[in-house]
Amino acid sequence: MKALLIFTVMVYNYFQPFMAPPINKELNYSIIKDNKMIGKIHVERSLKDDVTEYLFESRAKVKLLYSIEVYDKMGVTFKQNILQQARLYRTMNGKLKVNNTATWNGSFYHLSDKDGANGSLKQSIFSSTASLYFNEPRNIKSVFSEKFQKMIPVRKITSGKYRIDLPNGNSTTYTYSNGICTLVEADTDFANLKFVLDQNR
């Protein structure tokens, strides 16, 4: 029995280096306003076993009556396709504007923002705005907004093109090619922006 156990451990250690490593993918976008690049977006997806993680980071500088520099960092984790945690951190000219967290406890999501606890959401979440960059929402009716901390309906416009209307009156349109988002058209509080996928990377 002892010899069998030793043999099993040896076989496991021998094959372990050849086991499938985590699958990582990166996307990079240029932020365009009035045909000028004003910033960059970097999005990562990592897959390991039944856990999928998304990391979104962006920085943009817009000149209106004065310069506005917006920095976003978002981290989202799914396990067995159910959202476990979503974090969104945003600053504007260095001042904290958004610090949202949604955490799944097995029954519902605890929600918090920069001012503290912000209620709960009693349903399982299978898609969020972070995952839209890697997953075309063909059969998805709504996604979780990390910013607004609620489910937002997804509306198909044409083949490969979808729109979400946000609670503040703005909207975002996503265009896909082969399941990957190649263009985002975002109406924001301060400008109409385009996120254009860098095809060279």
Side-chain angles (χ1 to χ4, degrees):
M1 189 69 173
K2 184 177 180 180
L4 178 60
L5 177 61
I6 294 174
F7 176 77
T8 302
V9 172
M10 290 177 62
V11 169
Y12 175 80
N13 290 335
Y14 177 82
F15 284 104
Q16 190 177 23
F18 302 99
M19 291 180 179
I23 300 173
N24 300 303
K25 189 172 180 65
E26 300 180 1
L27 300 174
N28 292 281
Y29 297 82
S30 296
I31 304 174
I32 306 296
K33 177 183 179 292
D34 298 331
N35 297 318
K36 294 181 180 179
M37 188 177 76
I38 62 167
K40 300 290 287 185
I41 296 173
H42 179 75
V43 193
E44 295 181 12
R45 178 185 64 181
S46 64
L47 307 174
K48 185 177 182 181
D49 299 328
D50 59 352
V51 176
T52 303
E53 292 185 300
Y54 297 93
L55 176 64
F56 176 104
E57 192 168 17
S58 72
R59 192 182 298 274
K61 192 169 186 178
V62 183
K63 289 185 179 180
L64 301 173
L65 297 177
Y66 57 95
S67 292
I68 300 174
E69 185 170 351
V70 180
Y71 171 76
D72 274 16
K73 187 170 185 179
M74 183 162 55
V76 180
T77 302
F78 288 83
K79 185 175 183 179
Q80 295 179 343
N81 296 321
I82 297 177
L83 178 69
Q84 301 297 303
Q85 189 174 73
R87 292 179 176 271
L88 174 61
Y89 173 85
R90 174 177 296 165
T91 62
M92 187 176 295
N93 290 342
K95 295 181 179 180
L96 180 65
K97 291 296 181 181
V98 179
N99 191 12
N100 291 347
T101 302
T103 304
W104 177 246
N105 70 355
S107 300
F108 59 88
Y109 293 92
H110 289 287
L111 305 176
S112 65
D113 58 21
K114 62 184 179 69
D115 298 318
N118 190 33
S120 62
L121 186 61
K122 297 180 180 180
Q123 68 179 96
S124 299
I125 297 172
F126 303 99
S127 183
S128 77
T129 60
S131 59
L132 287 179
Y133 288 85
F134 293 93
N135 304 293
E136 181 177 345
R138 292 186 181 93
N139 301 308
I140 294 174
K141 300 299 183 182
S142 62
V143 296
F144 178 72
S145 168
E146 292 85 354
K147 178 182 177 182
F148 294 100
Q149 296 190 301
K150 60 176 60 179
M151 300 303 294
I152 307 293
V154 177
R155 181 163 58 92
K156 183 176 181 178
I157 299 175
T158 60
S159 178
K161 193 169 186 177
Y162 305 81
R163 172 173 165 158
I164 59 175
D165 293 310
L166 304 174
N168 63 356
N170 295 334
S171 65
T172 307
T173 303
Y174 299 81
T175 301
Y176 294 82
S177 177
N178 298 320
I180 296 295
C181 183
T182 57
L183 174 66
V184 178
E185 297 164 280
D187 299 330
T188 72
D189 294 333
F190 52 88
N192 293 329
L193 306 176
K194 292 183 178 181
F195 309 156
V196 181
L197 180 64
D198 185 350
Q199 303 282 4
N200 297 321
R201 297 186 62 173

